[in-house]
Amino acid sequence: MELSRDVPLKKHQSALLFIDVQNFNTHPEGSFFKKLDVSETKEKYGWYFSSLKKSVIPNMQRLQSACRSAGIEILYTTIENLTKDGRDRSLDYKISGFDVPKGSWDGKVIGQIAPGDDEIWLQKTSCSVFVSTHIDYILRNLGVKQLVISGLITDQCVESAIRDACDLGYLVTQVTDACTTYSQERHDNSIHAIKGFCRQVTTDALLAEIKGKDLNV
């Protein structure tokens, strides 16, 4: 049998993972932007916020709705310390200044795609969700073999999750227009660099796949 990454989703073995779609780095008032005034934020992150508003968040909402309707498991991960002072953070996060106190508004998933009452939400303190959470254990308990990834930032935490998931034996699908980073160039470069580790599809294509076939097959 020929092996391939280009495998359509099967409902009973699939899950959707949203990465770091949280107030900290998605909302203009998030702490990630607290050292910048309005003009600096617009100059440095204007493209990022525009992509979130115009396409990325709406695409995430469509994915969330379709997966819920199809009975596909949805998981969320956000940057959030296990402690109030952040002493448990990775060295990289300490150096980078990523400090999201336990239980803070910054650590919450944005309201537009808020987790449902029985959906799984994991807090992480490293770039890859597979390093600082027990997501691999959870996915295996759920019987997940195919992992759909959407989130932020394309060339950082999203890439890290794709590489780790691939190495751990999951078939990964990246929804390319449901991820973003701080410029079109960075996003495009990441999509090109990571394509050897995953199947890459658009939101429209994945929705058509979910709605257009029996996912139990």
Side-chain angles (χ1 to χ4, degrees), residues 35-53:
K35 294 181 179 180
L36 303 175
D37 62 31
V38 174
S39 61
E40 288 176 315
T41 300
K42 184 176 181 180
E43 179 182 355
K44 192 170 183 179
Y45 297 106
W47 185 90
Y48 171 68
F49 281 117
S50 177
S51 69
L52 284 171
K53 182 178 181 180

Side-chain angles (χ1 to χ4, degrees), residues 120-172:
I120 297 168
W121 172 19
L122 301 170
Q123 290 75 41
K124 69 183 181 73
T125 54
S126 62
C127 187
S128 173
V129 64
F130 286 92
V131 171
S132 57
T133 78
H134 53 303
I135 189 171
D136 182 45
Y137 172 80
I138 293 172
L139 292 174
R140 295 189 191 282
N141 285 348
L142 294 170
V144 172
K145 297 180 180 179
Q146 294 176 276
L147 187 61
V148 179
I149 290 182
S150 162
L152 316 171
I153 297 295
T154 315
D155 52 350
Q156 295 178 9
C157 295
V158 171
E159 261 199 40
S160 292
I162 290 172
R163 292 176 190 275
D164 286 349
C166 179
D167 279 346
L168 287 166
Y170 296 95
L171 286 172
V172 182

Side-chain angles (χ1 to χ4, degrees), residues 177-191:
D177 56 358
C179 301
T180 195
T181 183
Y182 303 126
S183 72
Q184 183 72 64
E185 182 181 14
R186 281 180 57 169
H187 179 75
D188 291 345
N189 287 342
S190 176
I191 295 300

Side-chain angles (χ1 to χ4, degrees), residues 101 104 121 129 192 206:
S104 66
W121 172 19
V129 64
H192 178 74
L206 191 61

Side-chain angles (χ1 to χ4, degrees), residues 15-90:
L16 168 64
L17 173 63
F18 287 117
I19 297 175
D20 299 352
V21 191
Q22 62 189 98
N23 294 323
F24 170 68
N25 63 328
T26 306
H27 195 287
E29 296 180 7
S31 293
F32 183 82
F33 310 102
K34 66 183 178 181
K35 294 181 179 180
L36 303 175
D37 62 31
V38 174
S39 61
E40 288 176 315
T41 300
K42 184 176 181 180
E43 179 182 355
K44 192 170 183 179
Y45 297 106
W47 185 90
Y48 171 68
F49 281 117
S50 177
S51 69
L52 284 171
K53 182 178 181 180
K54 291 181 180 179
S55 60
V56 176
I57 292 176
N59 284 340
M60 290 175 175
Q61 291 174 309
R62 295 165 65 208
L63 288 170
Q64 184 186 58
S65 177
C67 287
R68 283 175 175 169
S69 296
I72 294 173
E73 197 79 44
I74 304 176
L75 298 90
Y76 308 76
T77 185
T78 56
I79 299 167
E80 184 179 340
N81 307 335
L82 299 176
T83 57
K84 291 183 179 179
D85 65 4
R87 62 187 181 276
D88 60 292
R89 290 172 294 161
S90 68

